Amino acid sequence: MKKTLTSAIAAALVFVSLNSFASSPSSTTIEETTKSMVETFVTSLVNGTVSYDKKMFANNFEYINTANNNKLNKKKFLKLLEQNKGLEFDAKTSYEILEETNDICIAKSVCQFSDFSRVDYITLAKTGEGWKITKVMTTYP
């Protein structure tokens, strides 16, 4: 149980740190493509960076960890990311866009650690402010 909790916390930290490793924005806004948003999110999780988190997430953002049915809103999730700032994880990451239309996108990211995997299903929506992450569901297959 303790190992599972430690692994879940490590995975959450990885999730947080993947955000800042993506390419830098040209001004104070994030590049508004779904691919760059997902890449930034995944990179921030494993590298402990939180440069653009407030801008990346929609106001109605929801995070769900299916391992423990933990649910966080945007404010609580950003607080978690801030607490994990600077933590780096040794994990191989990959992501793919599963489906994309003009207004919505569903992506899958995988963080492969030495003894477990973390899979995030990421939903993005195009808003008046560009692409925003609206939901992340985390699983540990």
Side-chain angles (χ1 to χ4, degrees):
M1 175 87 170
K2 186 175 181 180
K3 184 176 181 179
T4 302
L5 180 58
T6 302
S7 296
I9 291 171
L13 294 176
V14 168
F15 177 79
V16 172
S17 60
L18 289 178
N19 183 6
S20 69
F21 216 72
S23 60
S24 299
S26 58
S27 65
T28 59
T29 61
I30 299 170
E31 184 178 344
E32 294 185 17
T33 67
T34 56
K35 184 177 178 180
S36 69
M37 291 288 290
V38 172
E39 182 177 1
T40 299
F41 176 75
V42 173
T43 303
S44 69
L45 289 180
V46 294
N47 293 318
T49 55
V50 292
S51 304
Y52 300 103
D53 291 327
K54 291 180 183 177
K55 296 178 184 178
M56 289 182 64
F57 300 104
N59 289 333
N60 64 344
F61 172 80
E62 181 180 30
Y63 171 77
I64 301 170
N65 182 329
T66 61
N68 60 11
N69 204 30
N70 189 24
K71 297 179 182 179
L72 301 174
N73 62 20
K74 179 181 178 179
K75 183 178 179 179
K76 290 180 181 178
F77 187 74
L78 289 173
K79 184 176 179 179
L80 174 66
L81 293 179
E82 187 63 36
Q83 290 171 344
N84 296 324
K85 186 176 182 178
L87 294 175
E88 295 185 33
F89 297 95
D90 185 18
K92 294 180 182 178
T93 61
S94 63
Y95 67 90
E96 65 179 308
I97 304 296
L98 300 175
E99 184 73 31
E100 184 173 7
T101 68
N102 289 335
D103 299 322
I104 195 162
C105 175
I106 300 172
K108 176 183 176 182
S109 71
V110 178
C111 295
Q112 182 64 53
F113 296 87
S114 62
D115 58 345
F116 72 96
S117 296
R118 173 190 167 133
V119 177
D120 292 314
Y121 294 94
I122 306 159
T123 304
L124 298 94
K126 192 164 191 177
T127 70
E129 299 174 343
W131 287 99
K132 300 282 184 177
I133 298 173
T134 57
K135 187 174 192 175
V136 174
M137 290 190 75
T138 299
T139 64
Y140 300 92

